[in-house]
Amino acid sequence: MAKIVAFSTNKGGVLKTSLAINVAGSLATQGKKILIIDMDNQGNIATSFGQDPDQYETTIYDLLTDLTDKHLSDAIVTITPNLDIIAANDDLAYLEIDILTDAKKYPDCFNLLNRVIKRVSDDYDFIIIDTPPAMGLVAANVFNVADDVIIPLQPEQYAFRSLVKTVGAIEKFKATNKSLQIVDVVPTKVRNTNMHHAYIDAAKNYTKSMDIPFSSIMIRDTVKYGEMTARLGMPVTMIEHPSKILSPYKDVFDSLVKELGYLD
C-alpha cells in the first residue's frame, strides 16, 4: 500500500504546492510510482505540469461526491510513466455546501477521500496530497487518511500562529487515524533577517515541546521556484540534467526527500 503524504497548513502562499510537486518529482525520478491528488480548488497541481485544470471533465470533486466510483479511471492523468495526478478546479470550492447539505447521501463525510484512496493505494508507492489553506471538510478528509503530514512554515507572525493551529487540528484526528503523524516542519520563504531567525527559533522551541521534527532544510525566499515551474511546465526535481543555475534548487528538494527517509 502507498504511503500517503500530505502538505498542509491553514496559511496560504507558503509553497505547499512547490513542496508537494518537487517531493513527488524527486521520488518519481528515483523510480517510485507517484500519485498527486490536488485537494485545493485553485488547481495548482495541474498548472504546475503545464495543464489547464478547467479542461478536465473529471476531477477530485467528482470522485468525492459520486459514491459509485465510476469516474476513477477518468480522473487519473498520467504526466510521466512514474507520475500521475488527480486534478482539482473551481468545482471543489462547492464541496462543503454539496456534502453538508445532503447528510442522507453522505453520512460519512469525513471519509470521502479515504474511500477514493483505498481503490488506488496498491497501484502507487506514494500518494502526495496538496491541501487548501483552510481547516474545513477538505482538511478533515485529508487528516483521516494521511500517514505523514509535512507543514510548511513561513517564519512570520501569522504563519507561526497557523503552525500552532494546524498542529492542534491534526492532533484531534489522531484518535480516528492511528497512523497520522507530523513528520516535518519545513521553513519556507526564509530571508536572512533577525525577525525570520527569531520566528524560526520560536518554531523550533514549539515543535520540540510537541515532539515534532523540525527540518534542517530551509527554502529561501525567491521567486525562482514559481518562475521555473511556470516556464518549464514541471518541478525542478524532474529535470534530468539541470543547469548550474537550477541545480541548487533541485538539490534542496532532493535533500528534503532524503531527510524524510522516503528513499532507501
Side-chain angles (χ1 to χ4, degrees), residues 23-204:
V23 166
S26 182
L27 290 168
T29 57
Q30 293 298 315
K32 302 297 183 182
K33 184 70 173 175
I34 309 298
L35 173 66
I36 309 177
I37 299 178
D38 197 349
M39 292 291 287
D40 187 346
N41 68 281
Q42 295 180 81
N44 288 334
I45 293 297
T47 57
S48 295
F49 291 99
Q51 308 286 317
D52 178 1
D54 294 322
Q55 75 177 346
Y56 298 123
E57 294 184 6
T58 307
T59 65
I60 189 61
Y61 169 84
D62 300 289
L63 303 187
L64 296 172
T65 55
D66 186 350
L67 302 182
T68 66
D69 292 327
K70 64 183 180 181
H71 297 300
L72 182 60
S73 60
D74 296 330
I76 297 175
V77 178
T78 297
I79 302 297
T80 72
N82 280 343
L83 193 146
D84 297 338
I85 69 170
I86 297 178
N89 57 27
D90 286 342
D91 290 346
L92 194 60
Y94 300 94
L95 182 72
E96 290 201 15
I97 294 175
D98 294 340
I99 297 299
L100 297 180
T101 57
D102 196 348
K104 185 176 180 180
K105 183 178 180 180
Y106 305 105
D108 193 13
C109 64
F110 287 168
N111 279 300
L112 299 172
L113 181 60
N114 194 356
R115 176 184 53 79
V116 173
I117 285 179
K118 281 181 177 178
R119 297 197 62 211
V120 298
S121 182
D122 289 340
D123 299 329
Y124 298 95
D125 297 305
F126 290 87
I127 295 175
I128 307 292
I129 306 174
D130 191 25
T131 64
M135 290 291 130
L137 179 62
V138 169
N141 269 267
V142 172
F143 296 152
N144 252 352
V145 72
D147 299 311
D148 295 356
V149 179
I150 298 164
I151 302 176
L153 170 74
Q154 184 181 4
E156 296 181 354
Q157 179 179 359
Y158 298 117
F160 180 77
R161 186 171 183 269
S162 293
L163 170 64
V164 176
K165 293 291 187 181
T166 302
V167 170
I170 292 168
E171 289 295 321
K172 293 178 181 178
F173 283 89
K174 287 186 176 180
T176 54
N177 180 2
K178 301 299 183 182
S179 65
L180 181 64
Q181 60 177 344
I182 301 170
V183 296
D184 222 355
V185 174
V186 182
T188 64
K189 305 182 83 169
V190 177
R191 299 195 303 272
N192 188 24
T193 66
N194 290 336
M195 183 186 72
H196 275 210
H197 290 311
Y199 277 116
I200 288 173
D201 288 341
K204 286 181 177 179

Side-chain angles (χ1 to χ4, degrees), residues 199-212:
Y199 277 116
I200 288 173
D201 288 341
K204 286 181 177 179
N205 290 333
Y206 169 71
T207 54
K208 184 177 180 179
S209 72
M210 299 293 290
D211 197 26
I212 296 170

